């Protein structure tokens, strides 16, 4: 199925240099995850500045630890990422062979998020001497059904869908069931108690089953042992995957 065009602002084109990257790292008010621009230039997460670069709780390392093993081979696939933020995972999926990646996020709670994502893309293209078929759209996740984006092989929503209310979560999942075969949702079992049950695997498993995905799996691995005890601790960002076959 051919994707329908979505009106959006043409991304600003930068003349990239190491000096511009340094300037932009300071200029953008927030960075969700570490972004390594090469040549020693790293934008550190403003929320978790001391997190190790290979933390399995953020960025590409998180993607490779828990998301990638639960996805089909991305070679030649068209992928939609909900809550893309600075676009690091979208670019990573392009590097893994996705033929096209579309990222969606809103600047309501993250200033200049799409501008930041487009800058990261351009800077990494310059650094790596390549182009990535990745584009970004500024929109609220709840408005996804109003966007005419066409068919996707895979949709991912990493640590974001649970911020919507119950009705909007159901609405988004029903829409995704009509435009994709696979929907991977990443949950959070430790950081968002104020959101109630919505961030949990049990909630998202039910939501997927109730809104168009007949087959649902949960990956909630044991990731480490507790100190001074032999009791293991489960990874607190598990994923739930809905598929239709």
């Amino acid at each position: 199925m051919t994707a329908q065009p979505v009106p959006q602002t043409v991304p600003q084109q930068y003349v990239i240099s190491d000096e511009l990257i340094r300037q932009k790292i300071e200029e953008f008010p927030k960075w969700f995850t570490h972004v390594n621009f090469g040549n020693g230039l790293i934008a550190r997460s403003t929320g978790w500045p001391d997190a190790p670069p290979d933390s399995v709780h953020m960025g590409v390392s998180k993607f490779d630890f828990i998301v990638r093993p639960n996805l089909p081979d991305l070679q030649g696939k068209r992928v939609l990422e909900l809550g893309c933020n600075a676009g690091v995972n979208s670019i990573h999926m392009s590097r893994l062979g996705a033929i096209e990646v579309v990222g969606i996020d809103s600047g309501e709670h993250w200033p200049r998020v799409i501008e930041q994502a487009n800058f990261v893309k351009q800077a990494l293209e310059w650094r790596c001497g390549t182009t990535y078929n990745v584009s970004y759209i500024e929109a609220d996740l709840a408005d996804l059904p109003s966007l005419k984006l066409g068919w996707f092989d895979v949709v991912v929503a990493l640590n974001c869908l649970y911020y919507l209310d119950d009705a909007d979560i159901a609405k988004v999942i029903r829409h995704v069931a009509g435009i994709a075969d696979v929907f991977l949702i990443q949950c959070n079992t430790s950081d968002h108690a104020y959101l109630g049950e919505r961030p949990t695997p049990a909630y998202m498993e039910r939501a997927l089953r109730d809104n168009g995905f007949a087959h649902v799996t949960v990956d909630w691995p044991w990731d480490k042992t507790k100190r001074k005890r032999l009791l293991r601790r489960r990874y607190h960002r598990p994923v739930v995957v809905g598929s239709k076959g």
Side-chain angles (χ1 to χ4, degrees), residues 135-205:
S135 59
Y136 305 108
I137 299 169
E138 180 154 3
D140 191 287
L141 299 189
D143 294 333
L144 176 64
S146 68
L147 305 179
K148 306 301 182 182
L149 299 177
W151 176 264
F152 292 90
D153 299 285
V154 176
V155 178
V156 299
L158 308 183
N159 299 117
C160 62
L161 193 62
Y162 46 71
Y163 288 110
L164 302 181
D165 64 26
D166 296 323
D168 282 336
I169 290 172
K171 178 179 69 173
V172 168
I173 293 175
R174 283 196 302 272
H175 178 72
V176 172
I179 65 167
D181 284 328
V182 176
F183 191 10
L184 182 148
I185 301 171
Q186 188 162 36
C187 302
N188 194 318
T189 61
S190 70
D191 295 339
H192 300 299
Y194 70 96
L195 293 175
E197 192 187 7
R198 294 200 303 274
T200 66
Y203 178 96
M204 290 300 176
E205 182 178 5

Side-chain angles (χ1 to χ4, degrees), residues 18-141:
D18 281 351
E19 183 55 39
L20 179 67
I21 293 172
R22 290 189 190 93
Q23 174 187 328
K24 287 293 182 181
I25 289 173
E26 296 298 323
E27 178 184 316
F28 284 109
K30 298 198 295 183
W31 292 90
F32 184 73
T33 188
H34 303 326
V35 180
N36 189 337
F37 290 98
N39 202 26
L41 299 173
I42 300 174
R44 299 196 68 82
S45 166
T46 50
W48 303 276
D50 298 324
D54 60 349
S55 170
V56 297
H57 301 296
M58 61 193 297
V60 169
S61 294
K62 178 184 77 169
F63 186 96
D64 285 340
F65 174 72
I66 190 70
V67 179
R68 186 176 179 182
N70 289 284
L71 290 177
D73 182 359
L74 295 182
Q75 191 71 36
K77 299 296 195 301
R78 188 165 187 257
V79 181
L80 174 64
E81 182 181 9
L82 306 182
C84 64
N85 201 264
V88 173
N89 287 318
S90 293
I91 291 170
H92 189 51
M93 287 187 283
S94 180
R95 288 172 171 170
L96 291 173
I99 194 170
E100 181 186 6
V101 183
V102 178
I104 296 175
D105 215 327
S106 169
E108 181 178 358
H109 302 294
W110 198 270
R112 302 168 62 191
V113 64
I114 299 301
E115 179 189 349
Q116 185 180 63
N118 279 311
F119 171 73
V120 169
K121 175 178 180 284
Q122 291 174 35
L124 293 179
E125 288 177 333
W126 171 77
R127 179 70 73 195
C128 300
T130 190
T131 58
Y132 300 112
N133 191 17
V134 176
S135 59
Y136 305 108
I137 299 169
E138 180 154 3
D140 191 287
L141 299 189

